[in-house]
Amino acid sequence: MKFGGSTLGGDFGYPSPYAFYPRGMGYIYLSFCFDTLTWKDETGVIPWLADSWEMSDDGKAWTFHLHRGVKWHDGEAFTADDVKFTFDYMKEHPRPKWFKTLEYIDRVDALDEYTVVIHLKKPVADFLVTIAGDVPIIPEHIWSGVEDPKKFRGKEAVIGTGPFKLEEYNKEEGYYLWEANEGYFKGKPLVDKLISIKVSDTALALKTGDLDEASLWRKDTDVVTEFEANPNFKIIEGPGYWVLQLVFNCEKYPTNITEFRHAIAYAINRSEIIQKVVHGGAIPANPGILQPGTEWSNPDLPGYEYNVTRANEILDALNFTDSNGDGIREYPTGEELEFELITIDKFSREAELIKSQLKEVGIRVNVKSMDKSTVDTILKGGNFLLAINGHGGCSYPDILEIPDWPASTYHNDSYDSIFDKQATTMDFEERKQLVYQLQAMITDDLPVYALYHPRRWAIYNPGKLDTWFYTKNGIAHGIPYELNKLVFIGAEAPATPMATATATPTSKSIPTPKPPGFGATLAIAGLLTVAYLFLRKRGR
């Protein structure tokens, strides 16, 4: 059984809680080895290491009743002490790029071997997803002796309670091999081995049997069409939960001028990008970033319909004019209006088309493509004017905390205040209106111009595995892939529907679990999850 595709594969770091690459695929690899208190399926949050839970009336204390009989990969027993240790350890050794919400935790008490209480400094609306469903529980008997977790590697660093054990990792090849945890507390996985590798031609790999499942998106519409008539494969389509956006540096001239950003937005023809570059494999993005159709997406935002006339009017008013008639405007100081547009290699075609569209309004940009980690580093450092970048997590409000993530050049105290308020508002309708306000402010201030949300598909051989699905609002806090570990447990997993969990907190309304979003992913090449006979090991 082999998996892969155009959006998966490659190196996403060592899959330990402190070494995985802080984007979606890195976390998914981590989740194969480690479990959380809650998890998610097609409908939302479900019990996982915790069978049930209650919330205090003030929303600041959560009591979890743990599943009994769970073992770590090395055979040691999992207890409430491990849960307490995990949160204490992660607070002492923070990893803010991913587990930022740990700052909300006041303390954790282990009441007995299977009961633990998490006390918060203030209510957290998305607690069941952003904390309980996101923080990987680690074994105290191993990590208590680790002084520098960022440097901790090797077999012990990936001992969890999860359905798979990491057997091999090759950073240079982007190769991962996991072996099934036969003693998994949710049942023995359906596959014996998982392998993640890169593939250069997804369609060919499917046809030749080198792949049994492939993840596709954007311009893969041609591949999807090709396989629709193939009786040996099935296709499922899921929401993108991902956005490609134009990121403005709001601290540097001239992109620090709000009206200038508006002009660029009016000059961009998103429909042309979707048709010419991704062949219809996307939808125009909500300017408020969140995926249309989710409960948080504001459907009434005005947007910036393609309007060259309007773009020119704004630029003229800002005194960016073409005084020498060469087709390129000049700054008010006389220099030509020219700057760099950076992006990762995957989105170079979008960048080239935007370059030509902006030239129509007298703005010259030079496209510079780089690898994703370099672009992330540049954005974080604020050393850019204009960039094309993307991320997942577009199904939950917390992705709005830093609209231009991974950059952080947008500053608005009023926006920050509303964000903080919604994060602790437990009433769903009240919170939704606050989230709507945030999206309206993003649309007005435009620190980013959301270009499109991609369509997403999985093509698979049902004879190998027929349990694929897309997770409601994405895996954990919004990771859009079909690689939920439940897929590999399938029908063998004991049914633990939400309704059976004594998860009935209080008389207070608890919104449906809504994880935060996170930087998920511009994926790259191919993830191969292989459940096949060992004699074909490395025969890729």
Side-chain angles (χ1 to χ4, degrees), residues 276-299:
K276 289 187 175 179
V277 179
V278 298
H279 309 155
I283 61 173
N286 168 17
I289 297 177
L290 297 183
Q291 175 91 22
T294 61
E295 57 263 55
W296 302 110
S297 177
N298 185 340

PDB file of all heavy atoms in Angstrom, residues 276-299:
ATOM      1  N   LYS A 276      -5.915  30.381 -15.816  1.00  0.00           N
ATOM      2  CA  LYS A 276      -4.697  30.160 -16.589  1.00  0.00           C
ATOM      3  C   LYS A 276      -3.624  29.375 -15.845  1.00  0.00           C
ATOM      4  O   LYS A 276      -2.854  28.630 -16.443  1.00  0.00           O
ATOM      5  CB  LYS A 276      -4.120  31.510 -17.042  1.00  0.00           C
ATOM      6  CG  LYS A 276      -4.944  32.193 -18.112  1.00  0.00           C
ATOM      7  CD  LYS A 276      -4.235  33.436 -18.640  1.00  0.00           C
ATOM      8  CE  LYS A 276      -5.011  34.049 -19.802  1.00  0.00           C
ATOM      9  NZ  LYS A 276      -4.354  35.278 -20.325  1.00  0.00           N
ATOM     10  N   VAL A 277      -3.568  29.549 -14.544  1.00  0.00           N
ATOM     11  CA  VAL A 277      -2.482  28.906 -13.794  1.00  0.00           C
ATOM     12  C   VAL A 277      -2.903  27.581 -13.174  1.00  0.00           C
ATOM     13  O   VAL A 277      -2.188  26.587 -13.291  1.00  0.00           O
ATOM     14  CB  VAL A 277      -1.940  29.850 -12.690  1.00  0.00           C
ATOM     15  CG1 VAL A 277      -0.820  29.166 -11.910  1.00  0.00           C
ATOM     16  CG2 VAL A 277      -1.434  31.149 -13.313  1.00  0.00           C
ATOM     17  N   VAL A 278      -4.066  27.547 -12.546  1.00  0.00           N
ATOM     18  CA  VAL A 278      -4.457  26.313 -11.851  1.00  0.00           C
ATOM     19  C   VAL A 278      -5.619  25.615 -12.550  1.00  0.00           C
ATOM     20  O   VAL A 278      -6.216  24.694 -12.008  1.00  0.00           O
ATOM     21  CB  VAL A 278      -4.772  26.560 -10.360  1.00  0.00           C
ATOM     22  CG1 VAL A 278      -3.548  27.069  -9.640  1.00  0.00           C
ATOM     23  CG2 VAL A 278      -5.926  27.539 -10.178  1.00  0.00           C
ATOM     24  N   HIS A 279      -5.945  26.078 -13.764  1.00  0.00           N
ATOM     25  CA  HIS A 279      -6.909  25.375 -14.632  1.00  0.00           C
ATOM     26  C   HIS A 279      -8.246  25.112 -13.941  1.00  0.00           C
ATOM     27  O   HIS A 279      -8.819  24.028 -14.061  1.00  0.00           O
ATOM     28  CB  HIS A 279      -6.300  24.048 -15.114  1.00  0.00           C
ATOM     29  CG  HIS A 279      -4.943  24.193 -15.708  1.00  0.00           C
ATOM     30  ND1 HIS A 279      -4.007  23.180 -15.752  1.00  0.00           N
ATOM     31  CD2 HIS A 279      -4.329  25.265 -16.282  1.00  0.00           C
ATOM     32  CE1 HIS A 279      -2.906  23.603 -16.324  1.00  0.00           C
ATOM     33  NE2 HIS A 279      -3.061  24.871 -16.652  1.00  0.00           N
ATOM     34  N   GLY A 280      -8.700  26.087 -13.185  1.00  0.00           N
ATOM     35  CA  GLY A 280      -9.983  25.951 -12.496  1.00  0.00           C
ATOM     36  C   GLY A 280      -9.910  25.193 -11.187  1.00  0.00           C
ATOM     37  O   GLY A 280     -10.957  24.944 -10.573  1.00  0.00           O
ATOM     38  N   GLY A 281      -8.705  24.868 -10.754  1.00  0.00           N
ATOM     39  CA  GLY A 281      -8.564  24.075  -9.525  1.00  0.00           C
ATOM     40  C   GLY A 281      -8.538  24.910  -8.268  1.00  0.00           C
ATOM     41  O   GLY A 281      -7.790  24.578  -7.326  1.00  0.00           O
ATOM     42  N   ALA A 282      -9.324  25.975  -8.234  1.00  0.00           N
ATOM     43  CA  ALA A 282      -9.382  26.830  -7.041  1.00  0.00           C
ATOM     44  C   ALA A 282     -10.634  27.686  -7.119  1.00  0.00           C
ATOM     45  O   ALA A 282     -11.314  27.738  -8.156  1.00  0.00           O
ATOM     46  CB  ALA A 282      -8.128  27.717  -6.954  1.00  0.00           C
ATOM     47  N   ILE A 283     -10.953  28.354  -6.027  1.00  0.00           N
ATOM     48  CA  ILE A 283     -12.036  29.326  -6.004  1.00  0.00           C
ATOM     49  C   ILE A 283     -11.462  30.662  -5.541  1.00  0.00           C
ATOM     50  O   ILE A 283     -10.469  30.682  -4.803  1.00  0.00           O
ATOM     51  CB  ILE A 283     -13.189  28.894  -5.069  1.00  0.00           C
ATOM     52  CG1 ILE A 283     -12.694  28.749  -3.628  1.00  0.00           C
ATOM     53  CG2 ILE A 283     -13.815  27.592  -5.556  1.00  0.00           C
ATOM     54  CD1 ILE A 283     -13.805  28.479  -2.625  1.00  0.00           C
ATOM     55  N   PRO A 284     -12.047  31.788  -5.984  1.00  0.00           N
ATOM     56  CA  PRO A 284     -11.550  33.082  -5.484  1.00  0.00           C
ATOM     57  C   PRO A 284     -11.632  33.120  -3.962  1.00  0.00           C
ATOM     58  O   PRO A 284     -12.604  32.674  -3.362  1.00  0.00           O
ATOM     59  CB  PRO A 284     -12.515  34.092  -6.125  1.00  0.00           C
ATOM     60  CG  PRO A 284     -13.053  33.392  -7.328  1.00  0.00           C
ATOM     61  CD  PRO A 284     -13.148  31.948  -6.951  1.00  0.00           C
ATOM     62  N   ALA A 285     -10.591  33.662  -3.358  1.00  0.00           N
ATOM     63  CA  ALA A 285     -10.513  33.619  -1.898  1.00  0.00           C
ATOM     64  C   ALA A 285     -11.394  34.666  -1.239  1.00  0.00           C
ATOM     65  O   ALA A 285     -11.636  35.746  -1.797  1.00  0.00           O
ATOM     66  CB  ALA A 285      -9.064  33.811  -1.457  1.00  0.00           C
ATOM     67  N   ASN A 286     -11.842  34.324  -0.053  1.00  0.00           N
ATOM     68  CA  ASN A 286     -12.489  35.297   0.819  1.00  0.00           C
ATOM     69  C   ASN A 286     -11.430  36.326   1.224  1.00  0.00           C
ATOM     70  O   ASN A 286     -10.393  35.951   1.783  1.00  0.00           O
ATOM     71  CB  ASN A 286     -13.020  34.555   2.056  1.00  0.00           C
ATOM     72  CG  ASN A 286     -13.453  35.483   3.176  1.00  0.00           C
ATOM     73  OD1 ASN A 286     -13.662  36.661   2.965  1.00  0.00           O
ATOM     74  ND2 ASN A 286     -13.559  34.927   4.377  1.00  0.00           N
ATOM     75  N   PRO A 287     -11.651  37.625   0.963  1.00  0.00           N
ATOM     76  CA  PRO A 287     -10.628  38.614   1.344  1.00  0.00           C
ATOM     77  C   PRO A 287     -10.364  38.626   2.846  1.00  0.00           C
ATOM     78  O   PRO A 287      -9.350  39.164   3.284  1.00  0.00           O
ATOM     79  CB  PRO A 287     -11.217  39.934   0.851  1.00  0.00           C
ATOM     80  CG  PRO A 287     -12.680  39.685   0.702  1.00  0.00           C
ATOM     81  CD  PRO A 287     -12.815  38.243   0.329  1.00  0.00           C
ATOM     82  N   GLY A 288     -11.256  38.030   3.605  1.00  0.00           N
ATOM     83  CA  GLY A 288     -11.048  37.906   5.047  1.00  0.00           C
ATOM     84  C   GLY A 288     -10.316  36.643   5.429  1.00  0.00           C
ATOM     85  O   GLY A 288     -10.267  36.267   6.604  1.00  0.00           O
ATOM     86  N   ILE A 289      -9.746  35.947   4.468  1.00  0.00           N
ATOM     87  CA  ILE A 289      -8.845  34.798   4.628  1.00  0.00           C
ATOM     88  C   ILE A 289      -9.568  33.475   4.882  1.00  0.00           C
ATOM     89  O   ILE A 289      -9.197  32.434   4.324  1.00  0.00           O
ATOM     90  CB  ILE A 289      -7.797  35.031   5.750  1.00  0.00           C
ATOM     91  CG1 ILE A 289      -6.892  36.213   5.394  1.00  0.00           C
ATOM     92  CG2 ILE A 289      -6.957  33.785   5.989  1.00  0.00           C
ATOM     93  CD1 ILE A 289      -5.877  36.569   6.469  1.00  0.00           C
ATOM     94  N   LEU A 290     -10.601  33.470   5.750  1.00  0.00           N
ATOM     95  CA  LEU A 290     -11.219  32.199   6.138  1.00  0.00           C
ATOM     96  C   LEU A 290     -11.971  31.563   4.968  1.00  0.00           C
ATOM     97  O   LEU A 290     -12.602  32.245   4.158  1.00  0.00           O
ATOM     98  CB  LEU A 290     -12.166  32.413   7.314  1.00  0.00           C
ATOM     99  CG  LEU A 290     -11.493  32.902   8.608  1.00  0.00           C
ATOM    100  CD1 LEU A 290     -12.512  33.019   9.741  1.00  0.00           C
ATOM    101  CD2 LEU A 290     -10.353  31.971   9.020  1.00  0.00           C
ATOM    102  N   GLN A 291     -11.918  30.241   4.909  1.00  0.00           N
ATOM    103  CA  GLN A 291     -12.503  29.475   3.806  1.00  0.00           C
ATOM    104  C   GLN A 291     -14.017  29.681   3.727  1.00  0.00           C
ATOM    105  O   GLN A 291     -14.744  29.475   4.708  1.00  0.00           O
ATOM    106  CB  GLN A 291     -12.225  27.986   4.027  1.00  0.00           C
ATOM    107  CG  GLN A 291     -12.862  27.049   3.020  1.00  0.00           C
ATOM    108  CD  GLN A 291     -11.962  26.745   1.835  1.00  0.00           C
ATOM    109  OE1 GLN A 291     -10.752  26.875   1.918  1.00  0.00           O
ATOM    110  NE2 GLN A 291     -12.550  26.325   0.740  1.00  0.00           N
ATOM    111  N   PRO A 292     -14.532  30.101   2.560  1.00  0.00           N
ATOM    112  CA  PRO A 292     -15.987  30.210   2.404  1.00  0.00           C
ATOM    113  C   PRO A 292     -16.676  28.882   2.713  1.00  0.00           C
ATOM    114  O   PRO A 292     -16.150  27.815   2.385  1.00  0.00           O
ATOM    115  CB  PRO A 292     -16.141  30.573   0.918  1.00  0.00           C
ATOM    116  CG  PRO A 292     -14.846  31.211   0.539  1.00  0.00           C
ATOM    117  CD  PRO A 292     -13.800  30.495   1.356  1.00  0.00           C
ATOM    118  N   GLY A 293     -17.813  28.970   3.353  1.00  0.00           N
ATOM    119  CA  GLY A 293     -18.547  27.755   3.676  1.00  0.00           C
ATOM    120  C   GLY A 293     -18.327  27.278   5.098  1.00  0.00           C
ATOM    121  O   GLY A 293     -19.109  26.481   5.615  1.00  0.00           O
ATOM    122  N   THR A 294     -17.262  27.736   5.746  1.00  0.00           N
ATOM    123  CA  THR A 294     -17.077  27.386   7.149  1.00  0.00           C
ATOM    124  C   THR A 294     -17.942  28.302   8.008  1.00  0.00           C
ATOM    125  O   THR A 294     -18.373  29.377   7.554  1.00  0.00           O
ATOM    126  CB  THR A 294     -15.603  27.521   7.574  1.00  0.00           C
ATOM    127  OG1 THR A 294     -15.199  28.893   7.399  1.00  0.00           O
ATOM    128  CG2 THR A 294     -14.713  26.636   6.722  1.00  0.00           C
ATOM    129  N   GLU A 295     -18.188  27.890   9.242  1.00  0.00           N
ATOM    130  CA  GLU A 295     -19.097  28.667  10.088  1.00  0.00           C
ATOM    131  C   GLU A 295     -18.555  30.051  10.443  1.00  0.00           C
ATOM    132  O   GLU A 295     -19.304  30.924  10.852  1.00  0.00           O
ATOM    133  CB  GLU A 295     -19.440  27.895  11.361  1.00  0.00           C
ATOM    134  CG  GLU A 295     -18.250  27.485  12.212  1.00  0.00           C
ATOM    135  CD  GLU A 295     -17.819  26.058  11.949  1.00  0.00           C
ATOM    136  OE1 GLU A 295     -17.546  25.743  10.777  1.00  0.00           O
ATOM    137  OE2 GLU A 295     -17.720  25.277  12.915  1.00  0.00           O
ATOM    138  N   TRP A 296     -17.245  30.259  10.266  1.00  0.00           N
ATOM    139  CA  TRP A 296     -16.663  31.534  10.665  1.00  0.00           C
ATOM    140  C   TRP A 296     -16.488  32.503   9.512  1.00  0.00           C
ATOM    141  O   TRP A 296     -16.183  33.671   9.716  1.00  0.00           O
ATOM    142  CB  TRP A 296     -15.296  31.285  11.320  1.00  0.00           C
ATOM    143  CG  TRP A 296     -15.372  30.395  12.504  1.00  0.00           C
ATOM    144  CD1 TRP A 296     -14.907  29.111  12.607  1.00  0.00           C
ATOM    145  CD2 TRP A 296     -15.958  30.693  13.769  1.00  0.00           C
ATOM    146  NE1 TRP A 296     -15.161  28.600  13.848  1.00  0.00           N
ATOM    147  CE2 TRP A 296     -15.810  29.556  14.588  1.00  0.00           C
ATOM    148  CE3 TRP A 296     -16.600  31.824  14.294  1.00  0.00           C
ATOM    149  CZ2 TRP A 296     -16.282  29.503  15.902  1.00  0.00           C
ATOM    150  CZ3 TRP A 296     -17.066  31.776  15.609  1.00  0.00           C
ATOM    151  CH2 TRP A 296     -16.901  30.626  16.384  1.00  0.00           C
ATOM    152  N   SER A 297     -16.624  32.065   8.300  1.00  0.00           N
ATOM    153  CA  SER A 297     -16.347  32.915   7.144  1.00  0.00           C
ATOM    154  C   SER A 297     -17.434  33.971   6.958  1.00  0.00           C
ATOM    155  O   SER A 297     -18.630  33.659   6.901  1.00  0.00           O
ATOM    156  CB  SER A 297     -16.238  32.048   5.884  1.00  0.00           C
ATOM    157  OG  SER A 297     -16.041  32.850   4.746  1.00  0.00           O
ATOM    158  N   ASN A 298     -17.032  35.220   6.876  1.00  0.00           N
ATOM    159  CA  ASN A 298     -17.960  36.334   6.674  1.00  0.00           C
ATOM    160  C   ASN A 298     -18.359  36.382   5.196  1.00  0.00           C
ATOM    161  O   ASN A 298     -17.520  36.675   4.337  1.00  0.00           O
ATOM    162  CB  ASN A 298     -17.288  37.652   7.085  1.00  0.00           C
ATOM    163  CG  ASN A 298     -18.221  38.836   7.026  1.00  0.00           C
ATOM    164  OD1 ASN A 298     -19.248  38.791   6.344  1.00  0.00           O
ATOM    165  ND2 ASN A 298     -17.883  39.899   7.742  1.00  0.00           N
ATOM    166  N   PRO A 299     -19.634  36.123   4.872  1.00  0.00           N
ATOM    167  CA  PRO A 299     -20.034  36.069   3.459  1.00  0.00           C
ATOM    168  C   PRO A 299     -20.332  37.425   2.848  1.00  0.00           C
ATOM    169  O   PRO A 299     -20.627  37.515   1.650  1.00  0.00           O
ATOM    170  CB  PRO A 299     -21.309  35.216   3.518  1.00  0.00           C
ATOM    171  CG  PRO A 299     -21.903  35.537   4.850  1.00  0.00           C
ATOM    172  CD  PRO A 299     -20.740  35.794   5.784  1.00  0.00           C
TER     173      PRO A 299
END
